Amino acid sequence: MKKTAIITIHGVRWRTKEDWQTRVGIYFKKLSPETKVIHFRFGGMLAVLSWWLGAATFLRIPSWLRRHYLKQFSQFMRDVRRDCPDYEFSVLAHSFGGWLVEQAMREDRYICIKNLVFVHCPIAVFIEKTSFWNWLETGRLRRVFAWSSRKDLVIKALAIKPLGHNGYR
């Protein structure tokens, strides 16, 4: 039986080591000491620029930042798989981190995830239009959960009603 590893990915406003990732890691370690918690952290506000340039693909604007973050995350996942061969990986992604996971899975077919949890991720609003359904069918992904608060202004601006939480299996 494989062990469990949880990978956390922040959004664009990561600033300190006393952030949600650290607190979630402490919580999971208390809940289950044998669970490995690994944090993926990347540049902050430059990520927003990367997303906008990525979103402007139809204008043929290249995004070296987008490529940089995707390569960084793909390499991170390869390193984690190599270092933890006896583990299954669940990912907890916040905001921009969800977009990063989706793009990396699209480009790197070796990324396989047991559980993917979106927390306040704009990508979750459009989950039916992504490749997640195919990845669920092919086994690259076992479960997807998406949660957003009615008070999240970004999600509120993008979301189809009703907001709240839902899961796909």
Side-chain angles (χ1 to χ4, degrees), residues 88-91 113-118 127 132 135-136 139-146 167-169:
E88 290 184 306
F89 303 100
S90 292
V91 175
I113 298 172
K114 180 180 178 181
N115 299 300
L116 177 56
V117 180
F118 291 122
I127 204 162
F132 290 114
W135 298 330
L136 286 164
R140 283 185 64 198
L141 188 58
R142 285 200 217 143
R143 291 178 205 95
V144 177
F145 302 91
Y168 297 93
R169 187 178 176 147

Side-chain angles (χ1 to χ4, degrees), residues 23 39 52 61 81 89 120 124 138 145:
R23 290 190 305 269
H39 306 303
W52 282 111
I61 299 172
R81 269 196 326 266
F89 303 100
H120 294 281
T138 62
F145 302 91

